[in-house]
Amino acid sequence: MSSNHESAIDDAAWASPWRRRRVGEKVTLSVALILTALLTDPWPGCALVAVISLILILGSARIRPTLLVTVMAAPVAFLLVGALPVAVHIGADGWGIGPLRVSATGLATALGLLAHGIAGTLAVMVLATTTPMVDLLTWMRTLHVPDTLLEIASLTYRMLFVLLGTTWAVHQAQRARLGDDASWGRRMHTAAGTTGSIMLRSWQRAVRLQEGLEGRGFEDALVTLSPRRERSWPFIVMTLAAVSVVWVATWVAP
């Protein structure tokens, strides 16, 4: 399960050259692209946002295409399921099979929603694949976000990896004992037992983490030091240029 999305994104963010950029600049770029994807027309606005995001992620950010495809699979599937009821309706107009019909208006609306969703998701990935969560939380602390909220987010994030690590270890142990020839009933019985073991072991590790924090005198916040990052004017200019290109293209488009 080393290919799980969460750890894969985090690993890519730690290894990306953009890790050394200021978090605020990356947040500004991502938010600007998200707002542009939401407020502009599917063509050319959303299409350009998607292209720019892909160029940034696969280009200077050096994220593997296979990783991007993997992390985009679930959001795209969700968007397709959400757009399907918009495209298909029950009636007599349009074309289709039986009472299920697809009209030109419904199809255009569904494709527009799909374009907005994919472009916005790619814009989010610009930040998610280049910024580790610890950097984001540290940056939010500089914005005076309450420590309580940041600690809850930090511990929740940490617990996700504890759960994933435990799940992977138990899965490997079960697979080593059962092999690939177990019956369906045996697999279901093992899955039920595995789920119980995962929850119990995760709870025990969480308790040990709590005891460790209390032993270190934890009272309010676990401050993480952040390396000093210089402002990058070329990056800021690139952000303004990328967003401006989309808005100008949308404005001049017929």
Side-chain angles (χ1 to χ4, degrees):
M1 201 177 293
S2 58
S3 61
N4 59 77
H5 296 178
E6 290 78 6
S7 62
I9 293 178
D10 204 65
D11 292 343
W14 280 96
S16 172
W18 281 24
R19 164 84 207 299
R20 294 185 291 273
R21 296 193 179 280
R22 302 183 75 171
V23 176
E25 295 174 359
K26 290 182 286 186
V27 170
T28 301
L29 171 61
S30 180
V31 171
L33 290 175
I34 293 171
L35 292 177
T36 303
L38 292 176
L39 299 178
T40 57
D41 295 332
W43 175 262
C46 294
L48 287 176
V49 169
V51 170
I52 291 173
S53 299
L54 286 173
I55 292 175
L56 295 175
I57 294 173
L58 303 178
S60 58
R62 299 179 188 174
I63 302 302
R64 289 181 290 107
T66 53
L67 171 63
L68 183 61
V69 172
T70 302
V71 298
M72 285 292 295
V76 170
F78 177 81
L79 291 172
L80 288 173
V81 172
L84 189 60
V86 179
V88 180
H89 68 279
I90 299 177
D93 57 327
W95 63 92
I97 300 176
L100 299 179
R101 297 288 174 173
V102 177
S103 65
T105 302
L107 186 60
T109 303
L111 291 176
L113 292 175
L114 197 59
H116 283 292
I118 292 176
T121 304
L122 285 172
V124 172
M125 290 301 168
V126 171
L127 179 65
T129 57
T130 59
T131 308
M133 183 60 71
V134 62
D135 287 358
L136 195 59
L137 294 175
T138 303
W139 174 75
M140 294 174 68
R141 198 180 300 279
T142 64
L143 300 179
H144 303 290
V145 175
D147 287 339
T148 303
L149 296 179
L150 296 179
E151 293 309 316
I152 292 174
S154 177
L155 290 176
T156 302
Y157 181 69
R158 172 58 184 163
M159 287 299 102
L160 286 176
F161 286 95
V162 172
L163 180 61
L164 289 173
T166 304
T167 303
W168 173 242
V170 173
H171 172 73
Q172 287 295 92
Q174 294 284 4
R175 186 175 182 180
R177 285 195 291 268
L178 291 174
D180 296 326
D181 298 328
S183 63
W184 173 258
R186 181 63 175 170
R187 289 177 182 272
M188 291 297 100
H189 177 75
T190 303
T194 300
T195 302
S197 299
I198 290 171
M199 299 307 295
L200 180 60
R201 294 185 60 177
S202 298
W203 178 265
Q204 292 172 343
R205 294 189 64 176
V207 170
R208 289 200 297 270
L209 175 61
Q210 179 185 359
E211 293 173 348
L213 291 174
E214 293 175 350
R216 294 184 177 185
F218 172 75
E219 294 181 351
D220 50 3
L222 290 174
V223 179
T224 302
L225 297 179
S226 176
R228 180 179 178 81
R229 298 180 173 92
E230 300 295 334
R231 177 177 287 105
S232 174
W233 287 110
F235 189 86
I236 296 174
V237 172
M238 183 272 295
T239 299
L240 294 175
V243 177
S244 298
V245 164
V246 179
W247 281 102
V248 170
T250 303
W251 182 60
V252 300

